[in-house]
């Protein structure tokens, strides 16, 4: 049920993997999961009406996220922030100790990421090399960030796919935040939410310990192979 009037939406292999992860992962915000499913359905060649019917939503919603993705790719699926409303938690996870440096901001722009690097610089030993492992979001590679990195040579960035094992450790921490803080709390204002998040991060760091893999690389690869075999059948 294609529509020749619509601009084709074609995904790269990396984009499809990221979207599939967002659509299926239980820790993903439901709004983002729905947008990922919309884009995946659009990439199947369906028009807006057909996608809306498949996903039980309205045609306008499909049109909006189709357009946003075509304009900004994966970055376009994030929420548009409301003025004055903190919506983003940026955190740096020390994989050796499990401690976290966290920061709340209204958006996740390049300048916000630069300011967060400043915070990491202040809170870490200046004599140590700092290897910053992050995903390939465009904000992480912007000129303002590049300029900051040139001025701070002890920082070395490493850009990895969003679904990589390093980033998954950060997502594991966010899952703990969701389960132990957000799902158990009642917040009547943004100030209450911010305070709760800051207190929870402080409590976490007081008893932090690193995440440890419980499976070998061979066991992990074997599980992935079984999953690929299962989804490659006629019904998928």
């Amino acid at each position: 049920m294609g529509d020749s009037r619509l601009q084709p939406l074609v995904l790269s292999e990396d984009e499809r993997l990221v979207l599939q992860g967002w659509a299926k992962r239980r820790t993903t915000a439901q709004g983002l999961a729905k947008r990922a499913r919309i884009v995946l359905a659009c990439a199947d060649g369906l028009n807006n009406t057909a996608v809306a019917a498949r996903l039980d939503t309205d045609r306008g919603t499909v049109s909006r996220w189709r357009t946003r993705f075509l304009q900004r790719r994966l970055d376009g699926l994030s929420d548009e922030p409301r003025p004055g409303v903190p919506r983003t938690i940026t955190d740096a996870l020390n994989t050796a100790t499990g401690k976290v440096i966290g920061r709340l901001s209204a958006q996740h722009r390049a300048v916000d990421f630069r300011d967060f690097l400043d915070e990491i610089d202040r809170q870490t030993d200046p004599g140590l090399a700092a290897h910053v492992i992050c995903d390939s979001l465009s904000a992480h590679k912007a000129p303002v960030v590049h300029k900051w990195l040139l001025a701070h040579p002890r920082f070395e960035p490493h850009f990895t796919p969003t679904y990589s094992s390093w980033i998954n450790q950060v997502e594991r921490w966010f899952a703990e935040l969701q389960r132990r803080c957000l799902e158990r709390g009642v917040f009547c204002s943004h100030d209450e939410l911010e305070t709760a998040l800051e207190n929870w991060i402080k409590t976490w760091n007081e008893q932090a310990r690193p995440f440890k893999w419980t499976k070998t690389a061979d066991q992990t690869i074997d599980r992935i192979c079984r999953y690929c075999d299962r989804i490659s059948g006629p019904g998928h």
Side-chain angles (χ1 to χ4, degrees):
M1 298 177 65
D3 188 335
S4 59
R5 296 171 298 179
L6 292 173
Q7 179 181 345
L9 194 157
V10 180
L11 301 175
S12 69
E13 182 179 351
D14 283 350
E15 287 174 335
R16 183 175 293 278
L17 287 170
V18 172
L19 289 167
Q20 289 172 340
W22 286 350
K24 296 175 182 178
R25 193 171 298 146
R26 288 177 296 177
T27 57
T28 301
Q30 287 304 299
L32 180 59
K34 183 175 182 179
R35 294 163 208 160
R37 290 192 288 270
I38 287 173
V39 173
L40 287 167
C42 290
D44 287 342
L46 300 180
N47 62 30
N48 293 344
T49 302
V51 174
R54 174 188 285 188
L55 299 178
D56 192 25
T57 189
D58 61 272
R59 187 172 177 272
T61 297
V62 175
S63 177
R64 177 167 64 254
W65 294 112
R66 178 196 288 270
T67 301
R68 286 272 294 274
F69 184 83
L70 286 170
Q71 292 174 342
R72 297 168 51 194
R73 311 307 292 182
L74 294 174
D75 290 351
L77 300 188
S78 61
D79 291 318
E80 292 291 353
R82 292 173 290 170
V85 179
R87 55 168 292 276
T88 299
I89 305 175
T90 306
D91 81 272
L93 172 67
N94 185 326
T95 57
T97 66
K99 289 190 174 182
V100 166
I101 298 173
R103 184 173 184 268
L104 299 175
S105 60
Q107 303 181 51
H108 190 65
R109 303 166 300 174
V111 291
D112 299 304
F113 184 59
R114 178 204 61 194
D115 293 344
F116 184 57
L117 290 174
D118 273 331
E119 185 66 24
I120 297 174
D121 190 32
R122 286 192 294 268
Q123 294 195 34
T124 55
D125 186 339
L128 295 177
H131 293 269
V132 182
I133 302 169
C134 53
D135 62 28
S136 296
L137 190 69
S138 58
H140 298 159
K141 299 180 177 180
V144 65
V145 175
H146 181 65
K147 182 178 179 180
W148 189 95
L149 291 170
L150 289 176
H152 299 78
R154 77 183 182 98
F155 280 75
E156 183 174 350
H158 305 271
F159 298 106
T160 63
T162 305
Y163 46 85
S164 75
S165 59
W166 282 98
I167 300 301
N168 282 343
Q169 291 199 38
V170 177
E171 292 185 358
R172 182 68 186 85
W173 181 84
F174 274 113
E176 290 294 301
L177 172 66
Q178 176 73 24
R179 182 172 64 88
R180 297 187 182 185
C181 177
L182 299 180
E183 290 181 354
R184 299 180 181 182
V186 177
F187 313 106
C188 298
S189 70
H190 293 116
D191 287 342
E192 287 187 11
L193 176 58
E194 283 191 22
T195 299
L197 290 169
E198 290 169 351
N199 288 340
W200 191 85
I201 292 173
K202 180 180 179 181
T203 300
W204 172 274
N205 284 334
E206 289 173 351
Q207 50 191 357
R209 55 185 179 183
F211 294 112
K212 294 183 179 180
W213 302 122
T214 58
K215 294 184 180 296
T216 66
D218 288 340
Q219 288 174 317
T220 301
I221 293 172
D222 183 60
R223 184 176 181 181
I224 293 172
C225 290
R226 292 199 305 271
Y227 174 73
C228 291
D229 288 341
R230 188 168 71 250
I231 66 173
S232 62
H236 295 272

